[in-house]
Amino acid sequence: MRVKICGITNLQDALEAINAGASALGFVFYKKSPRYIEPLKAKEIAEKLPPFVQTVGLFVNETEEFINEVCNDAKMQLAQIIDDFDVLNYEKISSKYIKVIRAKDKKDLLNLNKEYYLVDAFVDSFGGEGKRIALDWFESIDCSKFILAGGLTTENLKEINGFGFYGVDVSSGVESEVKGIKDRQKMIDFVKEANEIK
Ligand SMILES: O=C(O)c1ccccc1NCC(=O)[C@H](O)[C@H](O)COP(=O)(O)O
């Protein structure tokens, strides 16, 4: 199973996440987040990464122009987009992107287009809060294009076995006591456990 580790703020955490086996690293370009990273600093990290790891820029209710500029400047290969007001024209997004569903209810998971989505638990502060989604919302739904986020930890990952998610996304579950700083051992344990999940 693919693992994205979100909320990377420094090179050491980035390299340790990759060594742990993460397929993607998330960089939060939302200034109110404790995990916010300046685009220039994200670029410096992105340029030092080895091949076959995807850089993902996370955007919260931004314009197409802002998303394009930051993805270009910070060398992000994928934009992870929260667009609460459904105002973006995706044809104007020049990078690859994935939309975030901030699920409040099972209804939010139904009647979707046949694209990949990152499904996160709804929280007022937008994410990285460790809040979980009720797994029964995914019952009898095809999860093969969903990346599940929200409150995942090494301890609770087993519970998603059998749902067939494309991948998982974790932030606070692999952090140290300090928001924005990752814990190497937690990342190793998380990815190892995720690799056991079907
Ligand atoms: O991490 C943040 O501070 C953040 C701020 C604004 C929007 C999204 C944010 N985080 C998203 C994520 O890191 C994850 O995709 C997801 O929410 C999982 O976080 P967690 O529940 O802490 O594992």
Side-chain angles (χ1 to χ4, degrees):
M1 170 172 285
R2 281 91 180 163
V3 177
K4 169 172 162 267
I5 296 189
C6 198
I8 295 291
T9 61
N10 64 79
L11 181 62
Q12 183 177 330
D13 286 353
L15 296 176
E16 287 178 357
I18 293 165
N19 287 339
S23 346
L25 303 181
F27 298 83
V28 178
F29 298 113
Y30 175 62
K31 283 197 172 156
K32 291 183 188 153
S33 168
R35 305 174 184 95
Y36 172 74
I37 184 165
E38 291 283 348
L40 182 60
K41 188 170 176 202
K43 175 187 178 223
E44 286 167 4
I45 297 172
E47 285 177 338
K48 294 187 176 76
L49 299 181
F52 306 133
V53 179
Q54 193 170 42
T55 51
V56 182
L58 198 154
F59 299 92
V60 177
N61 298 325
E62 295 289 0
T63 61
E64 297 89 347
E65 291 74 22
F66 182 87
I67 294 169
N68 290 341
E69 191 179 318
V70 173
C71 280
N72 183 53
D73 292 353
K75 300 206 179 303
M76 293 294 116
Q77 294 158 329
L78 185 78
Q80 178 179 323
I81 299 178
I82 295 174
D83 176 24
D84 281 338
F85 309 105
D86 216 7
V87 291
L88 286 182
N89 176 354
Y90 285 90
E91 289 184 0
K92 288 190 182 171
I93 305 286
S94 42
S95 61
K96 290 190 80 165
Y97 61 83
I98 183 165
K99 296 176 189 169
V100 178
I101 299 172
R102 304 205 301 134
K104 283 180 176 164
D105 198 279
K106 178 166 175 138
K107 285 201 297 289
D108 299 330
L109 306 175
L110 305 175
N111 306 316
L112 297 168
N113 295 329
K114 292 190 186 324
E115 56 188 294
Y116 288 86
Y117 291 94
L118 192 142
V119 184
D120 201 352
F122 182 90
V123 283
D124 288 332
S125 55
F126 293 110
E129 292 289 312
K131 182 171 173 203
R132 297 191 67 192
I133 304 186
L135 283 176
D136 60 351
W137 295 355
F138 294 96
E139 274 164 16
S140 68
I141 290 182
D142 175 10
C143 297
S144 63
K145 290 194 166 180
F146 286 159
I147 293 126
L148 182 68
L152 295 172
T153 62
T154 304
E155 290 68 37
N156 65 31
L157 261 183
K158 281 185 193 63
E159 296 170 25
I160 72 166
N161 202 21
F163 283 87
F165 289 107
Y166 176 78
V168 288
D169 181 311
V170 63
S171 181
S172 57
V174 293
E175 270 179 341
S176 67
E177 309 77 60
V178 183
K179 282 192 178 181
I181 304 298
K182 299 302 182 208
D183 180 296
R184 178 175 160 274
Q185 193 58 47
K186 283 187 190 172
M187 292 193 286
I188 292 170
D189 294 344
F190 188 91
V191 176
K192 193 163 167 240
E193 188 65 33
N195 286 334
E196 303 293 316
I197 306 293
K198 299 278 183 290

